[in-house]
Amino acid sequence: MAAPMRKTFHRKFHSLLNDKSQIWQANRDNFSKIQNRSFQTRSKFFPMRISLKGGILGTLTVAGAITLGNLAQKSIRVHAAVKERLELKPSREVRVPEADYGLKLTMYQFTSCPFCCKLRSVLDYYGFSYDIIEVNSVNKKQIKWSDYKKVPILVCEDVGKNGFLQLNDSTVIISILQSYLLDKSQSLEKLASYYPALEGQDEKGKKTVEYQNKYFLMYQQAELTDNRTKEQYEEERKWRRWTDSDLVHMLSPNVYRTPSESLETFRHFDKVGEWEKNFSSWERTVVIYVGASVMWVMGKIIKRKYGLKDEVRDSLYDSCRLWTKTVGKRKFLGGDQPNLADLSVYGVLTSIEGCQAFEDTLNNTKIGPWFYRMKDACTNHKGSSSSHHS
């Protein structure tokens, strides 16, 4: 771990202790171990041991998710907007009247971004109503107001001191939304404080941000409504991680495999993203042709970095076969209803739906039946009437 990153984390973590805030205890196998009133991280990013004067109060691990007593109210770092947000006409409005959560949500996205697709799958399955702002992937002028320059960004209007609450990182956002569905007594603002962004630097001096507990769900002492076991929570987390660490890296080398396939992919994105409604002609031209050229090169870099096979299609097929083998005879990994791992895998794969790589995958693996069950569940908002909302 780089020295600047370690110092930054130590300083900010001790700040929490000095403010007499309480600290969450994460899953024993993945994050921490309490022994003789001490806290020891299990992360390769933050190996350290801290003695706690006040002990750990009101925190328990139940069913693989994190039960919260008086969890730390002060985040180590919360990304927030520092400039006035532009008033932009939504590129698209999604409305599900039968599932009113009382939230006004706006999502900033690239249509074809797998992380944006992953978040949309969750929003659609549970029947959230939301607006979409399509972001220009070259100049990103739609998010100039934000310190955080990646997508997706989910904004909850009429919340917080700035008049809106900004949520970043698709996995964190999904965990916050699921935690809210499990326990609506907690506001999104309060839930967001439980996912602090830990900033540091890598070996090249580049700024890094880590969310150590982003695959965990947060809820108060209220009884869980989905009756899942600890093992089921662990399985869900495992395959959510796999989606982010493995599956997503199979996509770019495949859809940008050759210059012609890369250009074809961007033309497909232009069509499904309705770029003609959101960008000028010259902006579309720049995004399509410059983007196709850049991503063809990036596809080669990602292929080498993550050790894909010479024929990159085989690596994509292998990942999809592993997933279908894991699901097995179940309807979904979550059983009769999709869980967050199902929604994550499905969402990531929808980012290449309509591309040649996706058609080849359907023809060479058995993922099709599961995929189209997921498509039906998300398109028809079948999670909006699930027991999560009771």
Side-chain angles (χ1 to χ4, degrees):
M1 175 178 176
M5 191 175 194
R6 185 185 301 112
K7 290 179 179 178
T8 299
F9 177 74
H10 282 211
R11 184 176 65 255
K12 293 183 176 181
F13 200 101
H14 280 291
S15 175
L16 291 183
L17 295 180
N18 293 335
D19 288 345
K20 298 183 180 180
S21 296
Q22 296 179 31
I23 299 180
W24 53 269
Q25 175 189 355
N27 181 278
R28 181 174 301 171
D29 295 332
N30 294 288
F31 290 87
S32 62
K33 182 178 181 181
I34 304 302
Q35 186 176 27
N36 297 324
R37 302 179 74 178
S38 65
F39 176 91
Q40 181 174 350
T41 68
R42 293 293 188 182
S43 168
K44 65 181 179 181
F45 298 105
F46 303 109
M48 56 185 291
R49 188 179 185 90
I50 301 174
S51 177
L52 299 180
K53 297 179 180 179
I56 293 183
L57 303 178
T59 60
L60 295 171
T61 300
V62 177
I66 299 176
T67 305
L68 304 171
N70 296 317
L71 194 60
Q73 299 294 315
K74 176 180 177 183
S75 297
I76 293 176
R77 167 72 173 168
V78 177
H79 287 282
V82 295
K83 303 176 183 177
E84 184 177 354
R85 194 155 56 102
L86 296 175
E87 290 288 341
L88 298 173
K89 181 181 179 181
S91 308
R92 185 160 61 93
E93 298 179 352
V94 179
R95 296 292 180 266
V96 187
E98 62 270 24
D100 184 8
Y101 295 102
L103 302 174
K104 186 178 180 182
L105 303 175
T106 301
M107 178 180 174
Y108 293 79
Q109 67 160 30
F110 304 151
T111 295
S112 56
C113 165
F115 301 106
C116 297
C117 293
K118 182 175 70 171
L119 176 56
R120 285 203 309 271
S121 73
V122 173
L123 293 171
D124 291 341
Y125 175 70
Y126 286 116
F128 286 95
S129 294
Y130 60 103
D131 291 339
I132 291 176
I133 302 294
E134 191 69 22
V135 176
N136 185 310
S137 60
V138 175
N139 59 34
K140 298 184 179 180
K141 64 182 181 181
Q142 291 80 8
I143 55 173
K144 291 290 186 183
W145 53 270
S146 173
D147 284 341
Y148 184 80
K149 299 302 181 183
K150 297 180 181 180
V151 291
I153 294 173
L154 188 69
V155 169
C156 185
E157 310 287 356
D158 305 321
V159 174
K161 62 181 181 181
N162 294 319
F164 64 92
L165 175 66
Q166 177 183 343
L167 303 176
N168 307 322
D169 187 286
S170 62
T171 299
V172 172
I173 298 171
I174 289 169
S175 291
I176 290 173
L177 292 176
Q178 182 76 341
S179 298
Y180 176 75
L181 295 178
L182 285 170
D183 181 7
K184 296 192 189 69
S185 68
Q186 298 190 99
S187 67
L188 290 183
E189 188 173 20
K190 183 177 181 181
L191 286 167
S193 72
Y194 300 152
Y195 295 89
L198 310 180
E199 291 187 352
Q201 292 181 340
D202 61 18
E203 295 178 354
K204 297 181 180 180
K206 185 178 179 180
K207 177 182 173 181
T208 61
V209 178
E210 293 290 337
Y211 298 87
Q212 286 297 93
N213 55 332
K214 65 182 180 179
Y215 294 101
F216 284 79
L217 306 180
M218 307 289 183
Y219 55 90
Q220 294 281 359
Q221 302 291 345
E223 182 180 356
L224 286 179
T225 58
D226 58 2
N227 299 316
R228 287 191 288 170
T229 66
K230 177 182 178 181
E231 290 70 27
Q232 287 171 321
Y233 274 107
E234 291 174 346
E235 182 181 47
E236 178 184 70
R237 286 199 307 275
K238 172 184 176 181
W239 290 99
R240 288 180 70 193
R241 289 190 185 96
W242 174 83
T243 303
D244 293 343
S245 64
D246 184 288
L247 180 62
V248 73
H249 300 304
M250 302 298 112
L251 305 185
S252 291
N254 274 278
V255 296
Y256 310 122
R257 185 173 54 164
T258 65
S260 60
E261 193 169 358
S262 184
L263 183 58
E264 179 185 354
T265 295
F266 267 84
R267 285 173 172 160
H268 168 69
F269 293 159
D270 175 39
K271 181 179 179 180
V272 299
E274 298 181 326
W275 289 354
E276 73 280 0
K277 296 181 180 180
N278 302 303
F279 308 132
S280 65
S281 296
W282 73 268
E283 285 179 317
R284 288 172 60 206
T285 300
V286 169
V287 171
I288 292 172
Y289 287 95
V290 173
S293 301
V294 170
M295 292 310 299
W296 172 63
V297 175
M298 286 301 300
K300 304 300 180 186
I301 294 174
I302 294 171
K303 174 187 174 181
R304 291 194 298 271
K305 181 177 180 178
Y306 293 98
L308 274 68
K309 295 179 179 179
D310 289 339
E311 178 43 71
V312 292
R313 284 287 197 273
D314 290 335
S315 294
L316 177 59
Y317 300 159
D318 288 347
S319 291
C320 290
R321 288 167 183 151
L322 175 60
W323 173 252
T324 53
K325 180 179 179 182
T326 300
V327 174
K329 295 182 179 180
R330 290 175 286 186
K331 190 175 180 180
F332 305 105
L333 186 73
D336 291 334
Q337 296 178 346
N339 63 16
L340 293 184
D342 286 293
L343 291 166
S344 295
V345 173
Y346 168 75
V348 164
L349 289 178
T350 60
S351 70
I352 65 169
E353 187 179 10
C355 298
Q356 187 59 50
F358 183 77
E359 295 302 316
D360 291 345
T361 300
L362 290 180
N363 293 330
N364 288 275
T365 72
K366 298 179 180 179
I367 202 168
W370 169 86
F371 182 87
Y372 287 109
R373 286 195 296 271
M374 286 297 306
K375 191 177 188 70
D376 174 67
C378 291
T379 302
N380 294 295
H381 316 298
K382 291 189 175 180
S384 63
S385 59
S386 73
S387 61
H388 292 80
H389 307 151
S390 59

